Amino acid sequence: MSNRTFTMIKPDATSKGYTGAILDQIIKAGFTVKAMKWIKLSEEQAGLFYDIHRARPFFGELVDFMSSGPIVAAILEKENAVADFRDLIGATNPANAAEGTIRKNFAASIGENAVHGSDSDENAIIEGDFFFSKLERF
Ligand code: GDP
């Protein structure tokens, strides 16, 4: 079990002004920020990040969306971080997300779903390394 996970606040949420409220919910749930940046991905970078979904029918939409505006990328720390953060954000489709979860509170659709959360300890490390050098994490 790892104590770190990786998140992005996605372009739908940053453009609607939800960044502060989402960070507040994350911190109140007990996560500590270990690295953070406000950044806009190119289409190529968004495609590389979501490379595992390249064959999926929604890949083009996903890349267009994730490169459409700024995101907040962050490494978060908490005991049982990956699983607890997935619980905090809720189901991929906000229509199926539990009450009080970030996606229930802030997401509009299965594609534009406000936040990303790593799905395993291994991917949390890969995804954190995609965005942050050793100098940028504490
Ligand atoms: P997650 O781990 O809950 O983020 O979900 P997945 O790994 O299955 O999908 C990654 C991301 O692709 C999701 O968070 C959505 O932004 C997007 N996505 C998933 N399914 C769909 C879909 O059916 N349509 C569109 N447009 N985007 C999708």
Side-chain angles (χ1 to χ4, degrees), residues 21-71:
I22 291 173
L23 287 174
D24 191 50
Q25 188 168 347
I26 290 170
I27 289 160
K28 282 187 175 140
F31 292 86
T32 307
V33 175
K34 308 309 284 186
M36 178 172 281
K37 62 175 68 166
W38 174 263
I39 188 171
K40 186 169 181 293
L41 294 172
S42 66
E43 284 182 32
E44 188 188 355
Q45 288 166 331
L48 283 175
F49 184 86
Y50 281 111
D51 200 47
I52 197 166
H53 293 310
R54 202 167 282 276
R56 307 282 280 275
F58 57 81
F59 181 73
E61 262 179 48
L62 178 59
V63 166
D64 286 350
F65 165 57
M66 287 303 297
S67 58
S68 67
I71 61 158

Side-chain angles (χ1 to χ4, degrees), residues 6-8 10 49-50 85 89 103 114-118 127:
F6 171 80
T7 188
M8 293 182 286
K10 297 186 180 183
F49 184 86
Y50 281 111
F85 195 71
I89 68 178
R103 283 171 169 163
V115 279
H116 168 82
S118 304
E127 292 169 1

Side-chain angles (χ1 to χ4, degrees), residues 50-130:
Y50 281 111
D51 200 47
I52 197 166
H53 293 310
R54 202 167 282 276
R56 307 282 280 275
F58 57 81
F59 181 73
E61 262 179 48
L62 178 59
V63 166
D64 286 350
F65 165 57
M66 287 303 297
S67 58
S68 67
I71 61 158
V72 174
I75 295 172
L76 303 172
E77 188 169 86
K78 182 182 183 294
E79 199 179 309
N80 199 30
V82 166
D84 282 5
F85 195 71
R86 295 288 293 192
D87 285 346
L88 180 68
I89 68 178
T92 307
N93 186 344
N96 303 326
E99 281 304 322
T101 58
I102 292 175
R103 283 171 169 163
K104 186 70 172 185
N105 290 344
F106 299 104
S109 67
I110 189 169
E112 305 204 353
N113 59 2
V115 279
H116 168 82
S118 304
D119 63 3
S120 66
D121 291 344
E122 187 190 8
N123 282 335
I125 291 167
I126 292 169
E127 292 169 1
D129 288 348
F130 186 92

